[in-house]
Amino acid sequence: MSGRRSPARRPTMKDIARHAGVSQSAVSFALNGRPGVSEETRDRVRQVAEELGWRPSTAARALSGEGAATVGFVLARPADTLGVDSFFLQLVSGIQEVLAERHLGLLFQVVEDVADECAVYRRWWAEHRVDGVLVVDPRTDDPRPDLLDELGLPAVVIGGAPDDRHPGLSTVWADDAGAMASVVDGLYALGHRRIVHIAGLPGLAHTERRIRTLRAEAGRRGLSEVKSVTTDYSDAEGAAVTRRVLEGVAPPTALIYDNDVMAVAGAAAATELGFAVPADVSVVSWEDSALCRMVKPWLSALSRDSVEFGRTAARELTALLDGGSARAVRVPVPRLVERGSTGVARGA
């Protein structure tokens, strides 16, 4: 595979035996808790195993060299924001559909941050847990691609971009910049000049692309009252930021939310403050879902096939597992569906 270094070699019982100065059978006895070695030898073997980073294989197929028949997926996000995130639910649905066709399992784990995520990859690699991984939420300064390349784990980055992709990893990407430009175009045409983008987590590559694009589109049109505010994607922060910006001296006439949950919560918060949607403030959700059609008025939203996004990512990973080369695959640009929550800006 172009650009991929040789995989790092996993430590074996033979390595432990050589470093500990004992036989391989003694190592097996010591690590499996069987009689036949002294406690002193057992302790020494376990210490050497820990120093070398050895882990027992948890998959019988891995012992025979056939692989783990499992794909890994780690998510470093606040756990309490996941249950209401329609994008990830649909993404995983598409991933699972393709993996099931190949009789591959999906090992999913939620962690606190990227450092913990990297630790999980090292552990999975050492324990022969997974044959490859799906990586989400690319960062602006991301340690994961180099680590996965070092370990030799086939990987697909979901949501990356061709200009920041790693040569050894496949990427499935959507044009966030083009999508944001289309939203700004639509709002500008309706007379909106004060726009606030209530964004997701800071440091995520797609968040930064959306922020940069909004800033560039505003600059191109000479708009000075346009900004982005980052959040944790939750309904609570979406509502809180909405209240804060609407209670300002010159409240925005349009709000763009990075997911459907924040958009619904934000629209409710605006109504509570006495702002009519869309007469006083227009609302656009980055993600379209049933939630957007369960409120009045229905929310304008960027529509994309998130299930197909997941299918595409899973297909690219299985292609890597079959020996294919890493590549970048673009999915269609999200399409703005205009509904009742957007209208002509007051006074335009």
Side-chain angles (χ1 to χ4, degrees):
M1 188 177 298
S2 177
R4 180 177 290 281
R5 296 192 291 270
S6 299
R9 191 174 69 85
R10 295 180 175 89
T12 64
M13 286 191 177
K14 184 176 182 180
D15 297 324
I16 297 170
R18 184 173 67 254
H19 283 78
V22 298
S23 66
Q24 289 188 56
S25 59
V27 171
S28 179
F29 292 154
L31 294 178
N32 291 306
R34 297 166 56 192
V37 293
S38 67
E39 286 303 312
E40 180 183 355
T41 298
R42 194 182 307 277
D43 290 342
R44 183 165 75 255
V45 167
R46 288 175 175 171
Q47 181 179 353
V48 170
E50 182 66 27
E51 291 172 352
L52 293 179
W54 179 87
R55 295 291 185 277
S57 172
T58 57
R61 294 185 67 194
L63 292 175
S64 62
E66 297 180 10
T70 302
V71 166
F73 184 16
V74 184
L75 192 56
R77 279 198 185 186
D80 58 359
T81 66
L82 300 182
V84 293
D85 194 320
S86 62
F87 170 73
F88 275 106
L89 294 176
Q90 294 177 61
L91 183 77
V92 172
S93 176
I95 289 169
Q96 183 58 38
E97 185 179 317
V98 172
L99 297 184
E101 293 172 355
R102 294 286 298 263
H103 304 290
L104 294 170
L106 180 64
L107 183 57
F108 178 71
Q109 187 163 343
V110 178
V111 296
E112 289 293 323
D113 52 35
V114 170
D116 288 341
E117 183 176 342
C118 289
V120 169
Y121 291 146
R122 289 187 180 279
R123 185 172 72 252
W124 282 353
W125 168 81
E127 295 175 355
H128 305 258
R129 282 286 189 99
V130 299
D131 297 319
V133 295
L134 294 160
V135 181
V136 294
D137 291 341
R139 265 65 176 180
T140 51
D141 186 14
D142 203 327
R144 295 172 297 174
D146 283 341
L147 171 63
L148 293 169
D149 199 22
E150 173 192 335
L151 297 177
L153 270 176
V156 173
V157 178
I158 301 173
D163 57 352
D164 58 15
R165 67 183 294 258
H166 195 281
L169 279 63
S170 285
T171 297
V172 176
W173 66 287
D175 186 3
D176 290 292
M180 176 61 84
S182 72
V183 173
V184 177
D185 279 341
L187 293 175
Y188 187 83
L190 291 171
H192 294 281
R193 302 297 182 262
R194 299 195 303 274
I195 303 170
V196 172
H197 167 216
I198 299 180
L201 291 167
L204 299 185
H206 65 261
T207 301
E208 299 303 323
R209 281 196 297 271
R210 294 173 192 179
I211 291 173
R212 285 198 305 270
T213 303
L214 178 65
R215 187 182 302 126
E217 292 295 316
R220 187 164 67 86
R221 295 174 172 84
L223 305 180
S224 59
E225 297 181 272
V226 173
K227 67 177 181 178
S228 297
V229 183
T230 56
T231 69
D232 66 357
Y233 285 110
S234 71
D235 56 333
E237 283 208 16
V241 173
T242 300
R243 295 187 189 98
R244 189 164 70 245
V245 298
L246 290 180
E247 290 175 332
V249 175
T253 63
L255 298 167
I256 305 169
Y257 295 85
D258 263 5
N259 70 10
D260 51 347
V261 174
M262 291 198 298
V264 170
T271 301
E272 290 170 3
L273 291 175
F275 287 79
V277 178
D280 298 318
V281 61
S282 287
V283 171
V284 178
S285 168
W286 195 275
E287 298 293 341
D288 194 11
S289 73
L291 275 179
C292 297
R293 301 182 297 279
M294 290 181 179
V295 295
K296 291 184 178 180
W298 285 12
L299 301 185
S300 298
L302 282 166
S303 178
R304 61 178 168 180
D305 191 342
S306 300
V307 175
E308 183 59 28
F309 205 163
R311 292 190 195 106
T312 302
R315 291 189 192 108
E316 289 305 310
L317 183 55
T318 57
L320 289 179
L321 297 181
D322 290 339
S325 299
R327 62 179 192 158
V329 177
R330 175 177 169 175
V331 298
V333 178
R335 177 177 58 88
L336 180 61
V337 178
E338 296 189 38
R339 300 191 179 110
S341 68
T342 49
V344 176
R346 184 179 291 278

